[in-house]
Amino acid sequence: MGEDAAARFLKAQSHKILARNYRSGRNEIDIVSRDPHGVIVFTEVKTRTVHAVVGGYYAGAQRGKAARVRACAKTYLAKMRPRPKTWRFDIIEVLHDPDRPDDAPIVRHYPNSF
């Protein structure tokens, strides 16, 4: 649910989704996209309920997770021809509130997170 909401959000921001759940060894990137300016965006998606003790943004930005996403991105970039000039690492936090009648998730985007 969270990754689908994040992909819809990115598409609404004119991103082209290039890959979802891209894996390299044991590492994974939730969403790889190209923004309207041609920047490759590697996005970590964190889905939580609104009542979670630790927010998704904090969990996504931890040093170990960031290192694994970067390692996976390095593999992805090595396969791209031509290699893009710019790329960045974003986090999208998707909050689910079971008490909301419309059940629409709250999406927060944190560009250049790590």
Side-chain angles (χ1 to χ4, degrees):
M1 185 273 299
E3 288 183 20
D4 289 340
R8 282 191 305 273
F9 174 84
L10 290 171
K11 286 178 184 177
Q13 302 297 314
S14 299
H15 282 238
K16 179 179 182 202
I17 304 299
L18 303 176
R20 289 186 60 179
N21 301 311
Y22 176 80
R23 295 186 75 75
S24 174
R26 299 180 73 186
N27 300 321
E28 180 185 45
I29 298 171
D30 295 326
I31 300 173
V32 181
S33 64
R34 180 178 289 119
D35 79 3
H37 307 289
V39 176
I40 300 299
V41 181
F42 299 99
T43 303
E44 176 67 16
V45 179
K46 291 298 177 183
T47 305
R48 303 279 189 269
T49 66
V50 293
H51 308 296
V53 175
V54 177
Y57 173 75
Y58 176 78
Q62 290 178 345
R63 189 180 316 215
K65 181 62 177 180
R68 290 188 297 276
V69 170
R70 281 191 179 120
C72 195
K74 184 177 180 181
T75 302
Y76 187 90
L77 290 167
K79 293 179 181 182
M80 290 188 78
R81 296 291 182 258
R83 188 169 178 173
K85 292 183 172 140
T86 57
W87 57 88
R88 70 173 194 253
F89 299 92
D90 293 3
I91 294 175
I92 290 184
E93 180 178 43
V94 179
L95 299 172
H96 171 69
D97 185 352
D99 300 329
R100 283 182 70 170
D102 62 357
D103 199 36
I106 299 163
V107 178
R108 295 182 182 148
H109 184 208
Y110 302 96
N112 289 314
S113 296
F114 53 90

